[in-house]
Amino acid sequence: MTFDAQTIKYLVIDILASTIPLATPLILAAVGGVFSDRSGVVNIGIEGMILIGSFTGVLTSYYTRNPWLGFLMAGLSGCLTAWFHALASIKYKANQTVSGVAVNIMATALTGFLLKAIFDRAGQTERVVKLARWTIPVIKDIPIVGEIIGSGPPPVYIAFIVVALAHIVMFKTVLGLRIRACGEHPEAADTAGVNVALIRYGCVMMSGFLAGLAGGTLSLGELSLFKEGMSAGKGYIALAAVIFGRWTPVGAMWASLLFALADAIQLIAQNWGFTLIPQEFMLMFPYVVTMAALAGIIGRSTGPAASGKPYVRRGV
Amino acid sequence: MGETALGAPVLEMKGITKRFPGVLANDGVDFTLLKGEIHALLGENGAGKSTLMKILYGLYMADAGSIRVEGKDVEIREPNDALRLGIGMVHQHFMLIPQFTVAENLVLGAEPTTGGVFLDMKAAIKKVKQVSEHYGLAIDPTARIMDISVGMQQRVEILKALLRGAEILVLDEPTAVLTPQEVAELFTIMRNLRERGKSIVFISHKLKEVTEISDRVTVVRRGRVVGSVQTSTTTVDALAGLMVGRAVELVVEKGPSNPGDDVLVLQDVYALDQRRLPAVKGVSLTVRGGEILGIAGVDGNGQNELVEVITGMRRATSGKVLLKGTDITNWDPRRLSGKGVVHIPADRHRHGLVLDFTVAENMVLQTYYKPPFTRGTSLNWDAIRHEARRMIEEYDVRTPSEDTRAGSLSGGNQQKVIVARELSRSPELVVAAQPTRGLDVGAIEFVHSRLVKARDEGKAVLLVSLELDEIMALADRIAVMYEGVIVGIIDRDEATEEQLGLMMAGAAGRGGR
């Protein structure tokens, strides 16, 4: 293989065009994570919510042949799962890490069980109707840019809209101010008349909804079926993106894109038969990038002060 | 709101009772606040003042009792109810979000909007400016809370209440965190507000401040009201008596000292501070058994570093520390502790207690590994609890039980836990740094008497305090520290406040070296 200008151009376009869809579930889940964390609840359960979402999406599309309804149900199922986490961590003041891990274990077990019970298959479901690709009129005709984002699964575009909306909600609205207050100093918010529990419930369930959509993106946007364990750590990488993105929607988006870029490089290297580095090491690449990114900012980036701590009105 | 005539009751709390597990925090408390008065709510730490006000503010629900605001029966279930009724509260721990700006903090919960959804920052800043000018409380609305002084933060808290139309303002221990200058400013602000018809509840345990600022005083002890009087008709001594239930001795009673052998000897000790700059610059002194040596000085003149060197928490860069003739320079804290050096640290939350441990666990922090607290490889909880109960009894620690979390005790009782633990370890040398900081009269008296008792038992006591009154009351000899150097050591009987003051300011003595 020779690396002339043309080859490099195709290579770059190929990598970037793969990056965007790979980043989409991360962006959705990470923006959700931003909401949850900013309100003061750590949501490790995102991983499980993605898994539940991807299964529910396929299940719905299987019975209704309506992938859009499936995508919506993916979000709602994530939201419902998040409600359990919210109940445990807000009402019952449980340890949020433990509760989140419980959600993840439950999600793995539940989807595995239902896969067997409903589809009577192991490993993966049969194919269902997936979301039809969107082609964006004007953009698709722009050279290079058109090849990268001119067309793609609908969740790609939805994710970027979600980022914009989340940014506005978080930093321009009254609701955003209150969410941030709950995550930084819930007692201050409480004494100012903000309903801390309500805000936290809302944010955790919002994060579940977005994680569910991330799951739907995997199973109905990219593929057209559910595979056991198909979330494959994306929830955890999304949490890393929350931190690396300094708890802002836009930052989380860029972090997701960076991690997805690493993934894309690894994939493309395989596709193009790049063998200089053994494939096993290339597979590690996205995770190494994630770790390096986090290691680089640890200590310099501080999250919401009250995140992870249940809020209890002070005693005696 | 605000129609009530000056001098008429704006707030009546009747028969308020509140029980927490193991503690009756309020026991049938009656409290009446008149329009346009500054009413002090006086009591020791843990007497139930804050609980009463938290009930008023809807943070707690009372188990019994009624509240009337402006003559109407009301029910206050949450802070929002209180705010609606014109009740504002400035908490002891500020309810401010450090990362937010002054204006963001002020409007939180009642934000001006455009279209009902979007935060209107311009309107918020304008509103803050208006109110701050109206009440003469200058503040920069765009500054972040984390960047402004504690006094300014308090001002923000007061503005927050006023901005919400508070007619009744509750200030919970507002002076605890302020410098004397800031206290004076606060009092000016309070008088201003009174002139504008606001009614103020001033929660405090500081007698001097209460008599200076208040019109009336209600005294609370152990959850009950023990008296309600016009400030002008009472005295500090009478109030102190009401507060602790017996006449307090503001002077420490102690006989002449009976010094024995040298216990602690420092020889030309040098040490660096956190920034690795010289902090202790050649200190030599001796503390004998049976005497209290007080180190006076303005904060930041090397006293903390010196204490840390003696207690093994900081390395001496040169010089020697001797304990009864043994060289203990740069020993680690456990070895020192085994040798009979006990330490009542200045920062009890960082160095004195593990707040999340129970009282019993805290009481054996240095001795848990020895019998009888350890049997073989496991802890002997019966022995630990038994010893803890004994200390709780002997040192009068007010705690529901030995299994209570240390962090949930009041400051005075936390300090008693430390004093109990340290002094019951049969010490040779007691190093007490700021042992009464933030404590109320009863607890101060208690700590002082224990230190004197240790002295009378022949122990050497090194007392470091920023309060000259405390040094004068307790010490037998006084060393003054200035810029890392002992500028002079004088006998208590020969010392005057003026002379010590001059030495502390570096104007007398040997000067730097």
Side-chain angles (χ1 to χ4, degrees):
Chain A
M1 185 164 49
T2 53
F3 280 94
D4 54 46
Q6 198 63 14
T7 315
I8 289 172
K9 184 181 152 199
Y10 280 127
L11 186 63
V12 169
I13 289 174
D14 208 358
I15 289 174
L16 293 181
S18 321
T19 299
I20 306 286
L22 283 170
T24 303
L26 294 179
I27 293 173
L28 286 168
V31 170
V34 168
F35 271 86
S36 185
D37 246 11
R38 280 280 190 172
S39 79
V41 182
V42 173
N43 192 354
I44 299 219
I46 285 181
E47 173 77 9
M49 294 166 199
I50 294 177
L51 199 59
I52 298 261
S54 53
F55 180 81
T56 311
V58 165
L59 186 68
T60 310
S61 179
Y62 176 73
Y63 282 117
T64 65
R65 302 186 174 276
N66 182 342
W68 279 105
L69 188 62
F71 191 58
L72 179 70
M73 288 306 290
L76 291 178
S77 64
C79 189
L80 179 70
T81 314
W83 177 73
F84 285 105
H85 179 55
L87 197 67
S89 33
I90 301 163
K91 178 143 191 225
Y92 295 107
K93 332 254 180 238
N95 181 307
Q96 297 172 9
T97 306
V98 173
S99 165
V101 169
V103 165
N104 292 343
I105 294 171
M106 185 206 69
T108 309
L110 187 67
T111 52
F113 168 73
L114 292 177
L115 179 64
K116 186 86 181 103
I118 297 173
F119 293 92
D120 195 23
R121 292 173 71 158
Q124 64 183 55
T125 62
E126 51 204 88
R127 292 190 175 275
V128 298
V129 186
K130 67 186 249 182
L131 296 168
R133 286 174 76 89
W134 278 355
T135 303
I136 310 298
V138 180
I139 294 176
K140 78 170 182 354
D141 301 326
I142 307 172
I144 301 180
V145 175
E147 291 177 67
I148 297 168
I149 56 167
S151 80
V156 167
Y157 305 99
I158 292 171
F160 287 104
I161 294 167
V162 164
V163 170
L165 288 178
H167 176 79
I168 291 167
V169 168
M170 194 59 89
F171 297 109
K172 307 285 176 198
T173 68
V174 168
L175 180 63
L177 187 76
R178 293 181 178 187
I179 290 172
R180 287 183 282 136
C182 289
E184 292 291 352
H185 196 333
E187 213 173 3
D190 189 12
T191 51
V194 174
N195 189 334
V196 177
L198 186 69
I199 296 256
R200 287 187 168 181
Y201 267 104
C203 284
V204 174
M205 288 169 76
M206 179 49 128
S207 110
F209 182 77
L210 290 175
L213 290 188
T217 304
L218 294 174
S219 64
L220 295 171
E222 287 297 300
L223 302 174
S224 52
L225 50 79
F226 171 83
K227 274 198 236 173
E228 255 187 284
M230 80 186 301
S231 51
K234 291 215 158 43
Y236 298 117
I237 294 186
L239 285 178
V242 171
I243 298 168
F244 193 51
R246 295 181 182 239
W247 291 270
T248 64
V250 174
M253 175 194 77
W254 285 115
S256 300
L257 284 168
L258 174 72
F259 297 155
L261 176 68
D263 208 5
I265 288 172
Q266 173 266 122
L267 280 174
I268 301 298
Q270 281 186 55
N271 287 353
W272 283 49
F274 178 71
T275 51
L276 198 63
I277 300 169
Q279 194 200 340
E280 287 76 7
F281 283 96
M282 287 309 293
L283 279 172
M284 281 166 52
F285 185 58
Y287 302 97
V288 171
V289 168
T290 308
M291 280 177 63
L294 285 186
I297 58 147
I298 272 168
R300 284 194 283 125
S301 174
T302 48
S307 186
K309 294 176 200 153
Y311 172 56
V312 191
R313 282 182 180 169
R314 219 183 280 264
V316 187
Chain B
M1 209 137 329
E3 310 133 19
T4 311
L6 279 178
V10 282
L11 168 72
E12 293 155 277
M13 300 177 81
K14 286 234 163 67
I16 302 291
T17 298
K18 176 73 186 174
R19 191 182 294 277
F20 290 110
V23 184
L24 189 57
N26 280 171
D27 182 7
V29 172
D30 294 339
F31 180 77
T32 303
L33 179 68
L34 307 180
K35 175 134 183 102
E37 74 166 348
I38 297 177
H39 192 143
L41 194 53
L42 179 69
E44 295 193 77
N45 288 322
K49 304 165 299 210
S50 293
T51 304
L52 183 68
M53 288 301 123
K54 283 187 174 173
I55 288 169
L56 176 64
Y57 198 61
L59 288 171
Y60 298 148
M61 286 296 287
D63 299 329
S66 65
I67 303 176
R68 286 165 76 84
V69 175
E70 312 228 330
K72 287 183 210 74
D73 279 312
V74 296
E75 205 161 334
I76 302 173
R77 296 181 167 276
E78 51 166 317
N80 258 336
D81 296 339
L83 291 169
R84 260 195 300 279
L85 291 165
I87 300 166
M89 183 147 175
V90 175
H91 299 265
Q92 203 172 346
H93 307 276
F94 291 153
M95 298 293 166
L96 296 174
I97 297 156
Q99 293 79 3
F100 282 18
T101 65
V102 169
E104 282 172 337
N105 269 287
L106 284 171
V107 298
L108 181 67
E111 304 86 348
T113 62
T114 45
V117 174
F118 295 98
L119 184 61
D120 188 347
M121 248 1 262
K122 271 193 199 130
I125 290 168
K126 203 172 139 206
K127 201 168 163 192
V128 169
K129 278 197 176 137
Q130 262 172 15
V131 177
S132 76
E133 273 160 31
H134 179 72
Y135 290 104
L137 293 163
I139 195 97
D140 172 10
T142 57
R144 272 178 203 277
I145 296 296
M146 58 208 271
D147 300 329
I148 63 179
S149 73
V150 173
M152 276 294 168
Q153 293 180 9
Q154 190 171 62
R155 208 170 266 205
V156 177
E157 281 280 22
I158 295 173
L159 274 172
K160 198 158 96 179
L162 295 172
L163 205 59
R164 269 147 222 219
E167 290 297 321
I168 297 169
L169 205 55
V170 180
L171 306 177
D172 190 359
E173 305 262 2
T175 60
V177 289
L178 301 184
T179 65
Q181 289 78 6
E182 286 173 330
V183 170
E185 278 173 39
L186 173 69
F187 284 179
T188 311
I189 292 169
M190 285 168 67
R191 291 194 186 99
N192 259 331
L193 293 173
R194 176 175 59 186
E195 252 155 57
R196 283 160 205 269
K198 307 285 181 195
S199 318
I200 300 176
V201 181
F202 174 66
I203 303 180
S204 181
H205 60 253
K206 293 185 185 162
L207 297 162
K208 251 164 81 181
E209 293 176 354
V210 165
T211 48
E212 184 186 339
I213 188 73
S214 70
D215 303 310
R216 288 200 303 147
V217 189
T218 292
V219 185
V220 187
R221 188 171 78 230
R222 292 197 172 206
R224 315 183 78 138
V225 171
V226 292
S228 200
V229 291
Q230 295 283 336
T231 312
S232 52
T233 64
T234 188
T235 63
V236 169
D237 287 346
L239 287 176
L242 275 177
M243 199 168 136
V244 298
R246 66 201 131 85
V248 264
E249 299 152 38
L250 291 170
V251 187
V252 182
E253 189 152 323
K254 64 180 175 70
S257 68
N258 191 3
D261 298 336
D262 293 355
V263 172
L264 175 75
V265 177
L266 300 182
Q267 292 173 352
D268 209 24
V269 170
Y270 283 78
L272 304 177
D273 67 10
Q274 229 60 14
R275 301 157 299 165
R276 310 205 58 74
L277 300 173
V280 179
K281 306 168 189 169
V283 166
S284 300
L285 54 79
T286 301
V287 191
R288 292 167 295 179
E291 74 166 356
I292 299 178
L293 177 76
I295 296 186
V298 178
D299 197 10
N301 273 289
Q303 304 99 310
N304 291 338
E305 287 80 4
L306 183 63
V307 164
E308 287 170 2
V309 166
I310 298 168
T311 54
M313 291 160 66
R314 182 177 295 277
R315 287 190 68 79
T317 47
S318 71
K320 265 189 181 162
V321 184
L322 305 171
L323 185 75
K324 291 204 147 183
T326 313
D327 188 347
I328 57 162
T329 317
N330 294 333
W331 280 22
D332 61 53
R334 178 172 285 191
R335 266 181 97 191
L336 288 171
S337 148
K339 197 77 175 137
V341 176
V342 306
H343 181 201
I344 300 169
D347 188 339
R348 58 178 162 266
H349 288 173
R350 277 187 66 195
H351 299 132
L353 293 170
V354 182
L355 293 176
D356 284 329
F357 277 16
T358 66
V359 170
E361 286 166 338
N362 271 292
M363 279 174 161
V364 295
L365 276 187
Q366 292 105 333
T367 45
Y368 68 89
Y369 58 91
K370 294 179 187 161
F373 305 128
T374 288
R375 239 183 347 209
T377 55
S378 55
L379 291 171
N380 179 357
W381 284 105
D382 287 341
I384 291 172
R385 289 222 177 79
H386 185 265
E387 175 65 6
R389 277 195 295 269
R390 189 191 65 72
M391 282 198 249
I392 287 169
E393 178 79 32
E394 188 187 339
Y395 288 84
D396 189 31
V397 183
R398 307 269 168 81
T399 169
S401 86
E402 70 275 14
D403 296 324
T404 304
R405 214 176 65 89
S408 71
L409 300 184
S410 69
N413 283 307
Q414 289 177 352
Q415 190 72 345
K416 281 180 183 174
V417 170
I418 297 171
V419 170
R421 176 183 72 208
E422 297 300 323
L423 294 187
S424 52
R425 289 196 290 127
S426 52
E428 296 286 346
L429 170 69
V430 180
V431 181
Q434 299 273 26
T436 59
R437 178 151 71 181
L439 303 191
D440 55 52
V441 181
I444 290 173
E445 192 190 340
F446 177 85
V447 172
H448 283 175
S449 71
R450 286 293 166 161
L451 290 175
V452 170
K453 183 162 171 259
R455 179 200 76 159
D456 291 344
E457 286 165 1
K459 327 282 191 208
V461 179
L462 180 68
L463 169 74
V464 176
S465 178
L466 305 178
E467 313 251 352
L468 198 50
D469 288 347
E470 179 164 60
I471 298 273
M472 295 286 275
L474 280 179
D476 300 308
R477 289 190 301 140
I478 300 172
V480 179
M481 203 161 173
Y482 176 72
E483 293 198 336
V485 180
I486 301 288
V487 290
I489 300 182
I490 38 183
D491 282 345
R492 162 67 184 92
D493 300 336
E494 293 160 17
T496 63
E497 276 193 36
E498 292 72 37
Q499 182 196 3
L500 290 172
L502 283 174
M503 289 167 76
M504 283 161 70
R510 287 175 299 164
R513 37 180 287 183

